[in-house]
Every structure is written in structure tokens, then in C-alpha cells.
């Protein structure tokens, strides 16, 4: 009985001085008990027993999809916050569910007649006039033929404007075959723009009309006026150069800056009136002239002379 009492006392003594060590898990839990980690993070204990927050190793597999402010869809809130932690970026929930696919914004450019387009039209007309002169009597020159055409399409003021010049080209459509685009509307607009560029080429008094002399000069192969370039902020730009004016793109074409006419209110919105669809393919000259004037106004051409 005495020996049993001594054994019990000895066991109690050993237990008092040799407590059972806690597990690592219980140690982490105790260290992190007073440590708060933000969303997407968890608390762990360092080797020195200090609490530290780290990004979650993994989230649960529950599917409660959300759309992040970065445009990425996440399986649940946890995945969103975990990704924000890993990438060290701020990501908030835009809305529940998958992100909606945003349509790609097209790079809107103005329709312009470049120098190459203008010169190609001019070359076609010169070749046509020369061939027609050769097919006629031997004493008929290209200049004589141009004078005849000038008198035919002149409305009586001894000058050809763009509409009269277009009628001059249209009367022999088959021989000229001036086609810039497969789309009828685009082709007609480019033809009109290139006619304007041709008129500007030899329009010495800048009235946007050609006298007989200016008309003949325009379509004479040896006539080479100085090429104009686009100027902007004391710099000179070649044909085809581009620049930006607020949300609008501007292109240098035949010495002029031609710009789109978008509404700049944070989003690039095209004026509804610029819709070119829904018209019949056949249009009268008057209808086409009116259409060209409308489109030219909407394109907001900005001319910056050298």
C-alpha cells in the first residue's frame, strides 16, 4: 500500500515537470488567434513562431461565379480575392455571374483619296483621252478633244465644277473602268474625293472650279505641280501620315488633314447620320451629289495648309 502511494506521487511529479507538447496545428491556431488576414489570405506561423499572412493556397470548389473589375470571370469570391493577392492588384466584383464579352471596337478611319489614288485616276483619264484622239482624225490632238469635252459638260459659266467633272468621267464609264472598291457606295465616294483632289491639283485661283486652261493642264502628262504636304505644329507630314485629335483619327491625304467625326464623350460613338446602308444601288447625279456633300460634312475635313 505504501509502495502504491509512492508510485502515484512519482507519476504526478513527472507529469508536472514534463508536460505533453502541442501539435504544430494547435500551435499555428494559437499564434494566429489574434491575427486577421484580408480576403484571399490566410495566417500561418513562421519557424520562429510568429504569425504571417500569405495568399491562400487554394479555395473551395463551390461555383458562385462573379465578374472581376479586370474583366475576368472567377468561380467564386474566394478565387477573385486569391488572384488579387497573388497578382498584387486591386480587383473588385463588378457583378455576379460570368463577365459579358465586350465587342471589339473597330479602328475607324476616314475614307480618303490618297496621292496614289488621285494619280491613278489621272493616268487612266489621260490614257483614255490619248487613245480616243488616236482613233479619231489624225489632226485631232488630245488638247482639242479636252476642249470639246469641256464645252460639252460646262453648264455655261466657262468652268467645270466637281459635278460636271464627274459627268465627264461617267459618260465613258466602260473605257475608264475607275474602280477603287467592291462596295458601290465606297467606290462612288472615293471617285468623288479623287475628282476634288484632281481639281485642286491645277486650280490656280483656288475657287474649286477649273477653267479651260486649268482643265487641260490637269490632264496633260507633262504638267507636274508641286506636291502639297500636311502641316501640323511646325512639322510637315507625308501623304498617309496619321494623327489623333481627341477621339478622332486624322489622315494626311493630298496635302489635307481629313478626320473622322466621332462624338468624344468618353466612348467613341459614331454619329448615327454616318450610316451609309439602306440606299438603292442606283442613284441620280443630284442624289449622289447631295449624298457626297452630307458625307463630306460628317467626315469633318480639317485642312491645315503649309
Amino acid at each position: 500500500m505504501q509502495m502504491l502511494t509512492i508510485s502515484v506521487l512519482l507519476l504526478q511529479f513527472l507529469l508536472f515537470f514534463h508536460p505533453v507538447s502541442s501539435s504544430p496545428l494547435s500551435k499555428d491556431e494559437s499564434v494566429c488567434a489574434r491575427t486577421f488576414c484580408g480576403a484571399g489570405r490566410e495566417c500561418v506561423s513562421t519557424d520562429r513562431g510568429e504569425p504571417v499572412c500569405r495568399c491562400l493556397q487554394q479555395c473551395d470548389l463551390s461555383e458562385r461565379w462573379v465578374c472581376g473589375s479586370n474583366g475576368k470571370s472567377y468561380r467564386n469570391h474566394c478565387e477573385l480575392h486569391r488572384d488579387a493577392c497573388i497578382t498584387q492588384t486591386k480587383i473588385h466584383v463588378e457583378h455576379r455571374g460570368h463577365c459579358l464579352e465586350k465587342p471589339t471596337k473597330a479602328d475607324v478611319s476616314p475614307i480618303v483619296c490618297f496621292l496614289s489614288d488621285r494619280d491613278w485616276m489621272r493616268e487612266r483619264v489621260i490614257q483614255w483621252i490619248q487613245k480616243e484622239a488616236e482613233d479619231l482624225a489624225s489632226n485631232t490632238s488630245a488638247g482639242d478633244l479636252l476642249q470639246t469635252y469641256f464645252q460639252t459638260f460646262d453648264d455655261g459659266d466657262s468652268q467645270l465644277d466637281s459635278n460636271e467633272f464627274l459627268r465627264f468621267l461617267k459618260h465613258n464609264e466602260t473605257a475608264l473602268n475607275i474602280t477603287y472598291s467592291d462596295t458601290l457606295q465606297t467606290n462612288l465616294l472615293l471617285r468623288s474625293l479623287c475628282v476634288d483632289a484632281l481639281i485642286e491639283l491645277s486650280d490656280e485661283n483656288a475657287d474649286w472650279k477649273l477653267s479651260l486652261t486649268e482643265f487641260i493642264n490637269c490632264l496633260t502628262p507633262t504638267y507636274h505641280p508641286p506636291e502639297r504636304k500636311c502641316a501640323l505644329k511646325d512639322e510637315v507630314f507625308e501623304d498617309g501620315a496619321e494623327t489623333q485629335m481627341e477621339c478622332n483619327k486624322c489622315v494626311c491625304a493630298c496635302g489635307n488633314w481629313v478626320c473622322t467625326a466621332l462624338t468624344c464623350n468618353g466612348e467613341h460613338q459614331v454619329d448615327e447620320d454616318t450610316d451609309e446602308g439602306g440606299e438603292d444601288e442606283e442613284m441620280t447625279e443630284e442624289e449622289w451629289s447631295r449624298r457626297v456633300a452630307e458625307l463630306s460634312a460628317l467626315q469633318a475635313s480639317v485642312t491645315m495648309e503649309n
Side-chain angles (χ1 to χ4, degrees):
M1 185 63 180
Q2 186 177 4
M3 289 297 295
L4 181 59
T5 302
I6 295 174
S7 299
V8 171
L9 292 173
L10 182 59
L11 179 60
Q12 290 177 345
F13 178 80
L14 292 174
L15 289 174
F16 180 80
F17 288 100
H18 297 281
V20 178
S21 61
S22 60
S23 66
L25 180 61
S26 61
K27 183 178 181 181
D28 277 357
E29 289 178 348
S30 61
V31 169
C32 292
R34 297 183 179 180
T35 301
F36 173 77
C37 296
R41 294 171 172 80
E42 60 182 348
C43 177
V44 295
S45 175
T46 65
D47 294 338
R48 294 185 296 180
E50 298 173 347
V52 63
C53 292
R54 70 178 183 187
C55 298
L56 284 170
Q57 296 298 302
Q58 63 181 16
C59 293
D60 63 78
L61 301 180
S62 61
E63 293 195 18
R64 299 184 183 87
W65 289 89
V66 292
C67 175
S69 55
N70 58 352
K72 183 178 178 180
S73 298
Y74 294 92
R75 185 187 302 273
N76 48 48
H77 284 75
C78 176
E79 293 285 1
L80 180 147
H81 295 304
R82 177 174 178 271
D83 189 31
C85 176
I86 293 173
T87 59
Q88 297 184 356
T89 57
K90 292 182 178 180
I91 307 174
H92 62 265
V93 176
E94 284 285 352
H95 58 79
R96 295 181 181 179
H98 291 270
C99 294
L100 301 177
E101 187 174 346
K102 294 183 180 179
T104 303
K105 292 181 180 177
D107 183 18
V108 181
S109 298
I111 299 176
V112 296
C113 174
F114 290 111
L115 285 174
S116 58
D117 300 322
R118 183 202 67 185
D119 293 344
W120 178 73
M121 172 184 279
R122 181 170 181 252
E123 183 180 345
R124 294 286 298 173
V125 177
I126 289 174
Q127 291 174 350
W128 160 51
I129 292 294
Q130 289 177 336
K131 185 178 186 306
E132 191 166 334
E134 291 172 0
D135 293 341
L136 295 174
S138 58
N139 60 346
T140 302
S141 66
D144 294 334
L145 192 56
L146 285 173
Q147 182 172 354
T148 301
Y149 279 127
F150 184 89
Q151 294 170 347
T152 300
F153 294 98
D154 172 30
D155 63 0
D157 63 352
S158 299
Q159 297 184 100
L160 288 189
D161 59 22
S162 58
N163 289 331
E164 293 165 340
F165 203 120
L166 281 169
R167 286 201 294 272
F168 157 64
L169 297 181
K170 190 175 182 180
H171 95 278
N172 203 346
E173 188 89 30
T174 305
L176 278 174
N177 191 25
I178 300 175
T179 304
Y180 293 101
S181 169
D182 294 333
T183 305
L184 177 66
Q185 294 281 28
T186 303
N187 188 59
L188 290 174
L189 177 57
L190 278 171
R191 185 183 300 189
S192 177
L193 293 173
C194 286
V195 163
D196 288 341
L198 272 181
I199 290 177
E200 188 180 23
L201 181 71
S202 54
D203 182 19
E204 296 180 358
N205 60 352
D207 63 352
W208 288 99
K209 294 181 180 181
L210 297 183
S211 64
L212 176 58
T213 301
E214 291 171 338
F215 179 67
I216 293 176
N217 282 342
C218 178
L219 299 175
T220 299
T222 55
Y223 179 71
H224 296 293
E227 296 291 354
R228 296 175 58 218
K229 298 181 180 181
C230 296
L232 181 65
K233 294 181 180 179
D234 299 326
E235 291 187 57
V236 177
F237 295 85
E238 300 288 339
D239 200 69
E242 297 180 356
T243 188
Q244 200 77 14
M245 295 181 66
E246 294 184 348
C247 67
N248 285 283
K249 176 185 283 189
C250 300
V251 181
C252 176
C254 297
N256 299 316
W257 286 111
V258 183
C259 305
T260 55
L262 303 181
T263 302
C264 305
N265 59 352
E267 293 293 333
H268 294 192
Q269 298 176 353
V270 181
D271 194 317
E272 293 178 358
D273 292 339
T274 59
D275 182 12
E276 298 178 22
E279 292 192 15
D280 295 333
E281 291 193 355
E282 295 296 329
M283 291 188 294
T284 65
E285 288 293 333
E286 290 74 19
E287 289 173 337
W288 172 241
S289 299
R290 184 169 61 253
R291 183 60 175 158
V292 168
E294 292 173 355
L295 289 171
S296 298
L298 288 170
Q299 282 186 335
S301 300
V302 180
T303 304
M304 300 177 184
E305 303 268 349
N306 285 327

